[in-house]
Amino acid sequence: MNDRSLRVGLLSRLGLVLVLLLTLDAVACYLTALYFANLVYDRWLIDSTRSLAQAVRSEHGQTQFDVPVVALQIFQFDEVDQTYFRVSSEKRGYLAGETSLRDVTSEPLNGIGLASGALAGQRVRIVSTRLAPALTGDIVTVTVAETLIKRVTLARDILLAMIAPQVALLTIALWLAWLGVSRGLKPLTDLAAQIEARDQNNLSPVPQTGLPREARVLAARINDLLGRLGNAMRAQKRFVADAAHQLRTPIAAVMLHAERAQRAPDGATEREALRALHRSVERAGRMSQQLLALARTDPEAVIAVELKPVDLVALARRIGEEWIPRALQRDIDFGLIVPESSVSVLGDERMLSELLSNLIDNALRYGDPAGRVSVVVEDRGQPKLSVQDDGPGIPEEERARIFERFYRVPGSAGEGCGLGLAIVEEIARLHNATVEVTGGSDARGSRFTVTFRPAELRRPR
Ligand code: ADP
């Protein structure tokens, strides 16, 4: 499970972006500060070079560089940086200063050359100027170099002065964002608290008023779910209540007939009471078997069922055979109309057997005695399984209701409990198939047809 807090997630993302921006800002700030520090200190360095160049003279037609030692010491005095110089001429070569200091080309004469370089392992800024002392025909280059400590320190000080308030601003912004996000999430935390405070029977909708749009969508989905849950629970309760009520009748009859048998004054009455007892037990047994069948078709239970190819022709033959004795009892002409080849559907053999048994059972019970019942398998694009009888049929207005649980057409013969067709419909639904009821052939009886989806679309739920 992902246990990240939405608030922490939002804020860490926001914080990351702000820190990134602050870093970019700091880099830009430092480079700008360094640029201006260079501009100022370069100007000083150029001034120093020019004043040193003034010490170059011409004496008797020869170039001279003549500066008192004290003046040079003053020139080189700097508490922070190191300053180097070098004077050389084209005619006389090296004249004074640091031998290893290289010149920077400066064009034209008296112009200024400026560059960054290194000296004695330190980064330095170098300025050179060239001059031609009068009457010497010589060209002298004066070069001055200075380490960068002052510049870097100045740039760093400017950076700190600018960044410190920005860091403070960033902290305040994150704190305000934390408050804002907490406030923004309050409707969600309130909603969660409300749901948590409910007891399990309270499935009434959660209020949507006062919620922001995004939370309203969530509340609406929760309400949808609560609504469906409520319907399912009501259906479940109704079913349990109906089942209890329906089971009471055969059980009361069992007790009644058992008592009658016990108190029977003679053998004939006792046998009669036992026969009635047997019928009641049969009825209670059938009903509990049907209730169990209905429970098995519950989608929760069906997840574990593996759907495999089932041949409808073989199924019709096998189940049909099981019902022959019952058909014979009622003198019913029981027939099978199936194609030569197999008709395969993807399904659960046990459930499909139950479905077909229920339809045949109904046809044999409600069809006319000495009538005709047929089980038909067809495959014209869509596999179909039908059971047809030539009994009284089902009035048009009742056809929609007969699939409801516990519903029986008023005045129905026999001792059914109205679950058989509900089971048929559930099993069909689990196979993505449909059940429909029509009149039988010759405008007599009824025909129940289960239509499966064509092979390539047969994807069970
Ligand atoms: P049960 O047969 O136990 O009453 P079902 O759910 O199987 O329950 O059937 C519901 C009702 O539909 C039956 O009570 C009956 O009135 C009607 N019915 C079902 N099958 C037929 C049929 N083949 N012919 C006439 N009526 C039928």
Side-chain angles (χ1 to χ4, degrees), residues 375-436:
V375 175
V376 185
V377 176
E378 302 162 281
D379 190 8
R380 299 199 202 112
Q382 285 181 302
K384 287 186 183 191
L385 177 66
S386 328
V387 178
Q388 173 175 322
D389 64 70
D390 54 3
I394 301 164
E396 200 106 19
E397 64 279 9
E398 296 285 350
R399 287 182 186 167
R401 294 206 63 191
I402 51 172
F403 293 97
E404 287 173 22
R405 293 175 177 192
F406 301 112
Y407 185 78
R408 305 197 72 212
V409 176
S412 288
E415 295 192 319
C417 56
L419 285 177
L421 289 177
I423 295 170
V424 167
E425 193 178 47
E426 278 295 301
I427 294 177
R429 193 177 60 78
L430 289 171
H431 286 79
N432 256 350
T434 55
V435 200
E436 101 186 294

Short mmCIF file of all heavy atoms in Angstrom, two decimals, residues 375-436:
data_model
loop_
_atom_site.label_atom_id
_atom_site.label_comp_id
_atom_site.label_asym_id
_atom_site.label_seq_id
_atom_site.Cartn_x
_atom_site.Cartn_y
_atom_site.Cartn_z
N VAL A 375 -36.53 -30.95 -25.80
CA VAL A 375 -35.31 -30.19 -25.50
C VAL A 375 -34.63 -29.97 -26.85
O VAL A 375 -34.38 -30.93 -27.59
CB VAL A 375 -34.39 -30.97 -24.55
CG1 VAL A 375 -33.08 -30.22 -24.34
CG2 VAL A 375 -35.09 -31.20 -23.22
N VAL A 376 -34.34 -28.70 -27.18
CA VAL A 376 -33.80 -28.40 -28.51
C VAL A 376 -32.46 -27.69 -28.37
O VAL A 376 -32.33 -26.75 -27.59
CB VAL A 376 -34.79 -27.48 -29.29
CG1 VAL A 376 -34.31 -27.27 -30.72
CG2 VAL A 376 -36.21 -28.04 -29.26
N VAL A 377 -31.47 -28.18 -29.16
CA VAL A 377 -30.17 -27.48 -29.21
C VAL A 377 -29.97 -27.02 -30.64
O VAL A 377 -30.15 -27.81 -31.58
CB VAL A 377 -29.01 -28.40 -28.77
CG1 VAL A 377 -27.67 -27.69 -28.93
CG2 VAL A 377 -29.20 -28.85 -27.34
N GLU A 378 -29.62 -25.75 -30.82
CA GLU A 378 -29.39 -25.23 -32.18
C GLU A 378 -28.11 -24.41 -32.15
O GLU A 378 -27.71 -23.91 -31.11
CB GLU A 378 -30.50 -24.26 -32.61
CG GLU A 378 -31.89 -24.83 -32.61
CD GLU A 378 -32.91 -23.71 -32.61
OE1 GLU A 378 -33.15 -23.14 -31.53
OE2 GLU A 378 -33.45 -23.41 -33.68
N ASP A 379 -27.52 -24.25 -33.34
CA ASP A 379 -26.37 -23.34 -33.42
C ASP A 379 -26.38 -22.63 -34.77
O ASP A 379 -25.63 -22.98 -35.66
CB ASP A 379 -25.05 -24.12 -33.23
CG ASP A 379 -23.87 -23.16 -33.06
OD1 ASP A 379 -24.11 -21.93 -32.95
OD2 ASP A 379 -22.72 -23.63 -33.02
N ARG A 380 -27.25 -21.64 -34.88
CA ARG A 380 -27.25 -20.85 -36.13
C ARG A 380 -26.60 -19.51 -35.82
O ARG A 380 -27.27 -18.52 -35.58
CB ARG A 380 -28.68 -20.64 -36.61
CG ARG A 380 -29.38 -21.94 -36.93
CD ARG A 380 -30.60 -21.75 -37.82
NE ARG A 380 -31.50 -22.88 -37.66
CZ ARG A 380 -32.69 -22.81 -37.10
NH1 ARG A 380 -33.14 -21.65 -36.64
NH2 ARG A 380 -33.45 -23.87 -36.99
N GLY A 381 -25.30 -19.52 -35.73
CA GLY A 381 -24.58 -18.29 -35.35
C GLY A 381 -24.47 -18.17 -33.84
O GLY A 381 -23.39 -18.01 -33.30
N GLN A 382 -25.60 -18.32 -33.16
CA GLN A 382 -25.58 -18.27 -31.70
C GLN A 382 -26.09 -19.59 -31.15
O GLN A 382 -27.19 -20.03 -31.53
CB GLN A 382 -26.50 -17.16 -31.21
CG GLN A 382 -25.92 -15.76 -31.40
CD GLN A 382 -26.88 -14.72 -30.87
OE1 GLN A 382 -28.01 -14.64 -31.31
NE2 GLN A 382 -26.41 -13.91 -29.95
N PRO A 383 -25.35 -20.22 -30.23
CA PRO A 383 -25.83 -21.47 -29.66
C PRO A 383 -27.09 -21.21 -28.81
O PRO A 383 -27.14 -20.24 -28.08
CB PRO A 383 -24.69 -21.92 -28.75
CG PRO A 383 -23.51 -21.13 -29.18
CD PRO A 383 -24.01 -19.86 -29.75
N LYS A 384 -28.08 -22.08 -28.99
CA LYS A 384 -29.33 -21.92 -28.23
C LYS A 384 -29.73 -23.24 -27.62
O LYS A 384 -29.58 -24.29 -28.24
CB LYS A 384 -30.47 -21.47 -29.16
CG LYS A 384 -30.33 -20.03 -29.59
CD LYS A 384 -31.53 -19.57 -30.39
CE LYS A 384 -31.26 -18.16 -30.84
NZ LYS A 384 -32.36 -17.47 -31.38
N LEU A 385 -30.29 -23.16 -26.41
CA LEU A 385 -30.79 -24.32 -25.72
C LEU A 385 -32.23 -23.99 -25.33
O LEU A 385 -32.45 -23.00 -24.63
CB LEU A 385 -29.93 -24.55 -24.46
CG LEU A 385 -30.30 -25.68 -23.54
CD1 LEU A 385 -30.10 -27.03 -24.23
CD2 LEU A 385 -29.40 -25.65 -22.29
N SER A 386 -33.21 -24.80 -25.81
CA SER A 386 -34.60 -24.48 -25.49
C SER A 386 -35.30 -25.69 -24.92
O SER A 386 -34.94 -26.84 -25.20
CB SER A 386 -35.40 -24.06 -26.73
OG SER A 386 -34.59 -23.40 -27.65
N VAL A 387 -36.32 -25.41 -24.10
CA VAL A 387 -37.20 -26.47 -23.60
C VAL A 387 -38.63 -26.02 -23.89
O VAL A 387 -39.01 -24.89 -23.57
CB VAL A 387 -37.01 -26.70 -22.09
CG1 VAL A 387 -37.98 -27.76 -21.60
CG2 VAL A 387 -35.58 -27.12 -21.80
N GLN A 388 -39.36 -26.89 -24.55
CA GLN A 388 -40.69 -26.51 -25.01
C GLN A 388 -41.74 -27.52 -24.54
O GLN A 388 -41.46 -28.72 -24.49
CB GLN A 388 -40.63 -26.46 -26.55
CG GLN A 388 -41.95 -26.25 -27.19
CD GLN A 388 -41.77 -26.09 -28.69
OE1 GLN A 388 -40.82 -25.47 -29.14
NE2 GLN A 388 -42.68 -26.67 -29.46
N ASP A 389 -42.90 -26.99 -24.12
CA ASP A 389 -43.98 -27.91 -23.74
C ASP A 389 -45.26 -27.47 -24.42
O ASP A 389 -45.30 -26.42 -25.06
CB ASP A 389 -44.15 -27.94 -22.21
CG ASP A 389 -44.58 -26.60 -21.66
OD1 ASP A 389 -45.72 -26.20 -21.91
OD2 ASP A 389 -43.74 -25.93 -20.98
N ASP A 390 -46.31 -28.28 -24.30
CA ASP A 390 -47.58 -27.88 -24.92
C ASP A 390 -48.68 -27.80 -23.87
O ASP A 390 -49.83 -28.14 -24.09
CB ASP A 390 -47.97 -28.83 -26.06
CG ASP A 390 -47.99 -30.28 -25.61
OD1 ASP A 390 -47.76 -30.52 -24.39
OD2 ASP A 390 -48.24 -31.16 -26.44
N GLY A 391 -48.25 -27.31 -22.65
CA GLY A 391 -49.21 -27.14 -21.55
C GLY A 391 -50.02 -25.86 -21.71
O GLY A 391 -50.16 -25.34 -22.81
N PRO A 392 -50.49 -25.31 -20.59
CA PRO A 392 -51.34 -24.11 -20.65
C PRO A 392 -50.58 -22.84 -21.05
O PRO A 392 -51.20 -21.84 -21.40
CB PRO A 392 -51.88 -24.00 -19.23
CG PRO A 392 -50.90 -24.71 -18.38
CD PRO A 392 -50.34 -25.81 -19.21
N GLY A 393 -49.24 -22.88 -20.96
CA GLY A 393 -48.46 -21.69 -21.30
C GLY A 393 -48.50 -20.67 -20.19
O GLY A 393 -49.09 -20.88 -19.12
N ILE A 394 -47.82 -19.51 -20.45
CA ILE A 394 -47.75 -18.47 -19.41
C ILE A 394 -48.34 -17.20 -19.99
O ILE A 394 -47.93 -16.76 -21.07
CB ILE A 394 -46.28 -18.22 -19.01
CG1 ILE A 394 -45.68 -19.53 -18.49
CG2 ILE A 394 -46.16 -17.13 -17.96
CD1 ILE A 394 -44.20 -19.54 -18.43
N PRO A 395 -49.34 -16.62 -19.31
CA PRO A 395 -49.93 -15.39 -19.84
C PRO A 395 -48.86 -14.32 -20.08
O PRO A 395 -47.92 -14.20 -19.27
CB PRO A 395 -50.89 -14.94 -18.73
CG PRO A 395 -51.08 -16.12 -17.84
CD PRO A 395 -49.90 -17.01 -18.01
N GLU A 396 -49.04 -13.59 -21.19
CA GLU A 396 -48.05 -12.57 -21.60
C GLU A 396 -47.65 -11.65 -20.44
O GLU A 396 -46.47 -11.37 -20.23
CB GLU A 396 -48.65 -11.75 -22.74
CG GLU A 396 -47.65 -11.02 -23.58
CD GLU A 396 -47.47 -11.68 -24.94
OE1 GLU A 396 -48.35 -12.46 -25.38
OE2 GLU A 396 -46.45 -11.40 -25.54
N GLU A 397 -48.67 -11.19 -19.67
CA GLU A 397 -48.39 -10.19 -18.62
C GLU A 397 -47.61 -10.79 -17.44
O GLU A 397 -47.07 -10.06 -16.61
CB GLU A 397 -49.68 -9.52 -18.14
CG GLU A 397 -50.71 -10.44 -17.46
CD GLU A 397 -51.57 -11.24 -18.45
OE1 GLU A 397 -51.28 -11.22 -19.67
OE2 GLU A 397 -52.52 -11.90 -17.99
N GLU A 398 -47.52 -12.12 -17.38
CA GLU A 398 -46.79 -12.75 -16.27
C GLU A 398 -45.35 -13.07 -16.64
O GLU A 398 -44.53 -13.39 -15.78
CB GLU A 398 -47.48 -14.07 -15.85
CG GLU A 398 -48.87 -13.90 -15.28
CD GLU A 398 -48.84 -13.35 -13.86
OE1 GLU A 398 -47.77 -13.27 -13.24
OE2 GLU A 398 -49.92 -12.97 -13.38
N ARG A 399 -45.05 -12.98 -17.93
CA ARG A 399 -43.75 -13.51 -18.39
C ARG A 399 -42.56 -12.76 -17.78
O ARG A 399 -41.50 -13.35 -17.56
CB ARG A 399 -43.68 -13.48 -19.92
CG ARG A 399 -44.56 -14.56 -20.51
CD ARG A 399 -44.49 -14.62 -22.00
NE ARG A 399 -45.49 -15.58 -22.47
CZ ARG A 399 -45.87 -15.70 -23.71
NH1 ARG A 399 -45.37 -14.92 -24.65
NH2 ARG A 399 -46.77 -16.61 -24.04
N ALA A 400 -42.72 -11.46 -17.54
CA ALA A 400 -41.60 -10.69 -16.97
C ALA A 400 -41.37 -11.07 -15.51
O ALA A 400 -40.24 -11.04 -15.02
CB ALA A 400 -41.88 -9.20 -17.09
N ARG A 401 -42.43 -11.44 -14.80
CA ARG A 401 -42.32 -11.64 -13.35
C ARG A 401 -41.89 -13.05 -12.94
O ARG A 401 -41.39 -13.24 -11.83
CB ARG A 401 -43.67 -11.34 -12.67
CG ARG A 401 -44.04 -9.88 -12.79
CD ARG A 401 -44.94 -9.48 -11.66
NE ARG A 401 -44.28 -9.59 -10.35
CZ ARG A 401 -44.92 -9.50 -9.21
NH1 ARG A 401 -46.23 -9.35 -9.19
NH2 ARG A 401 -44.26 -9.58 -8.08
N ILE A 402 -42.07 -14.02 -13.85
CA ILE A 402 -41.81 -15.40 -13.40
C ILE A 402 -40.35 -15.67 -13.05
O ILE A 402 -40.04 -16.64 -12.37
CB ILE A 402 -42.27 -16.44 -14.45
CG1 ILE A 402 -41.70 -16.09 -15.80
CG2 ILE A 402 -43.78 -16.56 -14.49
CD1 ILE A 402 -41.95 -17.17 -16.84
N PHE A 403 -39.43 -14.74 -13.47
CA PHE A 403 -38.01 -14.95 -13.14
C PHE A 403 -37.66 -14.36 -11.77
O PHE A 403 -36.56 -14.56 -11.29
CB PHE A 403 -37.12 -14.33 -14.22
CG PHE A 403 -37.24 -15.05 -15.54
CD1 PHE A 403 -38.08 -14.58 -16.54
CD2 PHE A 403 -36.53 -16.22 -15.76
CE1 PHE A 403 -38.19 -15.27 -17.74
CE2 PHE A 403 -36.65 -16.91 -16.96
CZ PHE A 403 -37.48 -16.43 -17.95
N GLU A 404 -38.61 -13.64 -11.17
CA GLU A 404 -38.34 -13.10 -9.83
C GLU A 404 -38.28 -14.22 -8.81
O GLU A 404 -39.00 -15.22 -8.94
CB GLU A 404 -39.47 -12.13 -9.41
CG GLU A 404 -39.44 -10.82 -10.15
CD GLU A 404 -40.65 -9.98 -9.83
OE1 GLU A 404 -41.29 -10.20 -8.77
OE2 GLU A 404 -40.97 -9.10 -10.65
N ARG A 405 -37.48 -13.99 -7.79
CA ARG A 405 -37.36 -15.01 -6.74
C ARG A 405 -38.68 -15.16 -6.00
O ARG A 405 -39.33 -14.17 -5.66
CB ARG A 405 -36.27 -14.60 -5.74
CG ARG A 405 -34.91 -14.63 -6.37
CD ARG A 405 -33.86 -14.11 -5.45
NE ARG A 405 -32.57 -14.26 -6.14
CZ ARG A 405 -31.40 -14.12 -5.55
NH1 ARG A 405 -31.34 -13.83 -4.28
NH2 ARG A 405 -30.28 -14.27 -6.23
N PHE A 406 -39.10 -16.36 -5.75
CA PHE A 406 -40.31 -16.74 -5.02
C PHE A 406 -41.61 -16.36 -5.73
O PHE A 406 -42.68 -16.47 -5.15
CB PHE A 406 -40.32 -16.13 -3.60
CG PHE A 406 -39.14 -16.55 -2.77
CD1 PHE A 406 -38.15 -15.65 -2.40
CD2 PHE A 406 -39.02 -17.87 -2.36
CE1 PHE A 406 -37.07 -16.06 -1.65
CE2 PHE A 406 -37.94 -18.28 -1.58
CZ PHE A 406 -36.96 -17.37 -1.24
N TYR A 407 -41.50 -15.90 -6.96
CA TYR A 407 -42.75 -15.53 -7.64
C TYR A 407 -43.34 -16.76 -8.35
O TYR A 407 -42.63 -17.49 -9.05
CB TYR A 407 -42.54 -14.42 -8.68
CG TYR A 407 -43.86 -13.99 -9.29
CD1 TYR A 407 -44.71 -13.15 -8.58
CD2 TYR A 407 -44.27 -14.47 -10.54
CE1 TYR A 407 -45.94 -12.79 -9.10
CE2 TYR A 407 -45.50 -14.11 -11.06
CZ TYR A 407 -46.33 -13.27 -10.34
OH TYR A 407 -47.55 -12.93 -10.84
N ARG A 408 -44.64 -16.97 -8.16
CA ARG A 408 -45.35 -18.04 -8.86
C ARG A 408 -46.57 -17.40 -9.49
O ARG A 408 -47.19 -16.51 -8.91
CB ARG A 408 -45.81 -19.14 -7.90
CG ARG A 408 -44.69 -19.72 -7.07
CD ARG A 408 -45.11 -21.05 -6.46
NE ARG A 408 -45.18 -22.08 -7.48
CZ ARG A 408 -46.03 -23.10 -7.46
NH1 ARG A 408 -46.89 -23.19 -6.47
NH2 ARG A 408 -46.04 -24.00 -8.42
N VAL A 409 -46.90 -17.86 -10.68
CA VAL A 409 -48.11 -17.35 -11.31
C VAL A 409 -49.29 -17.77 -10.42
O VAL A 409 -49.37 -18.94 -10.04
CB VAL A 409 -48.27 -17.93 -12.73
CG1 VAL A 409 -49.59 -17.48 -13.35
CG2 VAL A 409 -47.10 -17.51 -13.60
N PRO A 410 -50.17 -16.79 -10.05
CA PRO A 410 -51.28 -17.17 -9.18
C PRO A 410 -52.05 -18.35 -9.76
O PRO A 410 -52.31 -18.41 -10.97
CB PRO A 410 -52.15 -15.91 -9.16
CG PRO A 410 -51.22 -14.79 -9.51
CD PRO A 410 -50.19 -15.37 -10.39
N GLY A 411 -52.39 -19.29 -8.90
CA GLY A 411 -53.15 -20.47 -9.32
C GLY A 411 -52.30 -21.55 -9.94
O GLY A 411 -52.84 -22.50 -10.52
N SER A 412 -50.94 -21.42 -9.83
CA SER A 412 -50.08 -22.45 -10.44
C SER A 412 -50.30 -23.79 -9.74
O SER A 412 -50.46 -23.84 -8.53
CB SER A 412 -48.61 -22.09 -10.28
OG SER A 412 -48.29 -21.04 -11.11
N ALA A 413 -50.25 -24.82 -10.54
CA ALA A 413 -50.43 -26.17 -9.98
C ALA A 413 -49.16 -26.59 -9.26
O ALA A 413 -48.10 -25.99 -9.42
CB ALA A 413 -50.73 -27.13 -11.11
N GLY A 414 -49.25 -27.62 -8.45
CA GLY A 414 -48.07 -28.22 -7.84
C GLY A 414 -47.56 -27.42 -6.66
O GLY A 414 -48.18 -26.46 -6.20
N GLU A 415 -46.37 -27.87 -6.17
CA GLU A 415 -45.89 -27.29 -4.93
C GLU A 415 -44.57 -26.57 -5.09
O GLU A 415 -43.70 -26.65 -4.23
CB GLU A 415 -45.75 -28.40 -3.89
CG GLU A 415 -47.05 -29.03 -3.51
CD GLU A 415 -46.90 -29.88 -2.29
OE1 GLU A 415 -45.88 -30.59 -2.19
OE2 GLU A 415 -47.78 -29.83 -1.41
N GLY A 416 -44.40 -25.88 -6.18
CA GLY A 416 -43.13 -25.15 -6.38
C GLY A 416 -43.01 -24.01 -5.39
O GLY A 416 -43.96 -23.67 -4.69
N CYS A 417 -41.81 -23.42 -5.34
CA CYS A 417 -41.63 -22.28 -4.44
C CYS A 417 -41.17 -21.04 -5.18
O CYS A 417 -40.81 -20.04 -4.55
CB CYS A 417 -40.69 -22.64 -3.31
SG CYS A 417 -39.10 -23.20 -3.91
N GLY A 418 -41.14 -21.09 -6.50
CA GLY A 418 -40.83 -19.87 -7.27
C GLY A 418 -39.36 -19.54 -7.36
O GLY A 418 -38.99 -18.40 -7.59
N LEU A 419 -38.49 -20.55 -7.18
CA LEU A 419 -37.04 -20.26 -7.26
C LEU A 419 -36.40 -20.80 -8.53
O LEU A 419 -35.34 -20.35 -8.93
CB LEU A 419 -36.32 -20.86 -6.05
CG LEU A 419 -36.51 -20.12 -4.73
CD1 LEU A 419 -35.79 -20.87 -3.60
CD2 LEU A 419 -35.97 -18.71 -4.82
N GLY A 420 -37.03 -21.78 -9.16
CA GLY A 420 -36.42 -22.48 -10.30
C GLY A 420 -35.97 -21.53 -11.40
O GLY A 420 -34.81 -21.57 -11.84
N LEU A 421 -36.86 -20.64 -11.84
CA LEU A 421 -36.52 -19.76 -12.96
C LEU A 421 -35.54 -18.66 -12.53
O LEU A 421 -34.75 -18.18 -13.34
CB LEU A 421 -37.79 -19.15 -13.57
CG LEU A 421 -38.64 -20.15 -14.35
CD1 LEU A 421 -39.91 -19.49 -14.87
CD2 LEU A 421 -37.86 -20.75 -15.52
N ALA A 422 -35.60 -18.27 -11.23
CA ALA A 422 -34.63 -17.28 -10.74
C ALA A 422 -33.22 -17.87 -10.86
O ALA A 422 -32.27 -17.20 -11.26
CB ALA A 422 -34.93 -16.92 -9.30
N ILE A 423 -33.12 -19.16 -10.54
CA ILE A 423 -31.82 -19.86 -10.66
C ILE A 423 -31.40 -19.91 -12.12
O ILE A 423 -30.25 -19.63 -12.48
CB ILE A 423 -31.91 -21.28 -10.06
CG1 ILE A 423 -32.17 -21.17 -8.56
CG2 ILE A 423 -30.66 -22.08 -10.34
CD1 ILE A 423 -32.51 -22.50 -7.89
N VAL A 424 -32.36 -20.23 -13.01
CA VAL A 424 -32.06 -20.31 -14.45
C VAL A 424 -31.50 -18.96 -14.92
O VAL A 424 -30.48 -18.90 -15.60
CB VAL A 424 -33.35 -20.66 -15.24
CG1 VAL A 424 -33.15 -20.42 -16.73
CG2 VAL A 424 -33.74 -22.10 -14.96
N GLU A 425 -32.15 -17.89 -14.52
CA GLU A 425 -31.72 -16.57 -14.99
C GLU A 425 -30.33 -16.21 -14.45
O GLU A 425 -29.49 -15.68 -15.17
CB GLU A 425 -32.73 -15.51 -14.57
CG GLU A 425 -32.47 -14.21 -15.32
CD GLU A 425 -33.47 -13.13 -14.99
OE1 GLU A 425 -33.73 -12.93 -13.79
OE2 GLU A 425 -33.96 -12.49 -15.93
N GLU A 426 -30.08 -16.53 -13.17
CA GLU A 426 -28.77 -16.24 -12.58
C GLU A 426 -27.67 -16.99 -13.31
O GLU A 426 -26.62 -16.43 -13.63
CB GLU A 426 -28.75 -16.65 -11.10
CG GLU A 426 -29.36 -15.65 -10.16
CD GLU A 426 -28.57 -14.35 -10.13
OE1 GLU A 426 -27.38 -14.39 -9.79
OE2 GLU A 426 -29.16 -13.31 -10.48
N ILE A 427 -27.93 -18.27 -13.58
CA ILE A 427 -26.89 -19.08 -14.24
C ILE A 427 -26.66 -18.53 -15.65
O ILE A 427 -25.51 -18.40 -16.10
CB ILE A 427 -27.30 -20.57 -14.27
CG1 ILE A 427 -27.32 -21.11 -12.83
CG2 ILE A 427 -26.34 -21.38 -15.13
CD1 ILE A 427 -27.77 -22.56 -12.71
N ALA A 428 -27.74 -18.16 -16.35
CA ALA A 428 -27.59 -17.62 -17.71
C ALA A 428 -26.76 -16.33 -17.64
O ALA A 428 -25.84 -16.13 -18.43
CB ALA A 428 -28.96 -17.34 -18.30
N ARG A 429 -27.06 -15.50 -16.65
CA ARG A 429 -26.34 -14.22 -16.53
C ARG A 429 -24.84 -14.47 -16.31
O ARG A 429 -24.00 -13.82 -16.91
CB ARG A 429 -26.91 -13.45 -15.34
CG ARG A 429 -26.48 -12.01 -15.27
CD ARG A 429 -27.16 -11.32 -14.10
NE ARG A 429 -26.82 -11.93 -12.83
CZ ARG A 429 -25.67 -11.74 -12.19
NH1 ARG A 429 -24.77 -10.93 -12.67
NH2 ARG A 429 -25.44 -12.35 -11.04
N LEU A 430 -24.53 -15.48 -15.51
CA LEU A 430 -23.12 -15.80 -15.27
C LEU A 430 -22.42 -16.31 -16.52
O LEU A 430 -21.20 -16.29 -16.62
CB LEU A 430 -23.00 -16.86 -14.17
CG LEU A 430 -23.34 -16.36 -12.77
CD1 LEU A 430 -23.41 -17.52 -11.80
CD2 LEU A 430 -22.29 -15.37 -12.30
N HIS A 431 -23.20 -16.78 -17.49
CA HIS A 431 -22.61 -17.26 -18.74
C HIS A 431 -22.74 -16.23 -19.86
O HIS A 431 -22.54 -16.56 -21.02
CB HIS A 431 -23.28 -18.58 -19.17
CG HIS A 431 -22.87 -19.74 -18.33
ND1 HIS A 431 -23.39 -19.97 -17.07
CD2 HIS A 431 -21.96 -20.72 -18.54
CE1 HIS A 431 -22.83 -21.05 -16.55
NE2 HIS A 431 -21.96 -21.52 -17.43
N ASN A 432 -23.14 -15.00 -19.48
CA ASN A 432 -23.36 -13.97 -20.48
C ASN A 432 -24.42 -14.37 -21.50
O ASN A 432 -24.38 -13.97 -22.67
CB ASN A 432 -22.07 -13.66 -21.24
CG ASN A 432 -21.46 -12.37 -20.76
OD1 ASN A 432 -22.12 -11.63 -20.01
ND2 ASN A 432 -20.25 -12.09 -21.17
N ALA A 433 -25.34 -15.19 -21.06
CA ALA A 433 -26.40 -15.67 -21.96
C ALA A 433 -27.72 -15.00 -21.55
O ALA A 433 -27.81 -14.41 -20.48
CB ALA A 433 -26.52 -17.18 -21.84
N THR A 434 -28.72 -15.08 -22.43
CA THR A 434 -30.03 -14.50 -22.09
C THR A 434 -31.07 -15.61 -22.07
O THR A 434 -30.93 -16.62 -22.76
CB THR A 434 -30.47 -13.47 -23.15
OG1 THR A 434 -30.45 -14.13 -24.42
CG2 THR A 434 -29.54 -12.28 -23.20
N VAL A 435 -32.14 -15.43 -21.26
CA VAL A 435 -33.24 -16.39 -21.26
C VAL A 435 -34.48 -15.64 -21.70
O VAL A 435 -34.72 -14.53 -21.22
CB VAL A 435 -33.58 -16.90 -19.85
CG1 VAL A 435 -34.36 -18.21 -19.93
CG2 VAL A 435 -32.38 -17.01 -18.98
N GLU A 436 -35.23 -16.24 -22.58
CA GLU A 436 -36.49 -15.58 -22.94
C GLU A 436 -37.58 -16.64 -23.01
O GLU A 436 -37.31 -17.83 -23.26
CB GLU A 436 -36.32 -14.80 -24.25
CG GLU A 436 -36.85 -15.47 -25.45
CD GLU A 436 -36.53 -14.73 -26.72
OE1 GLU A 436 -37.05 -13.61 -26.90
OE2 GLU A 436 -35.81 -15.31 -27.55
#
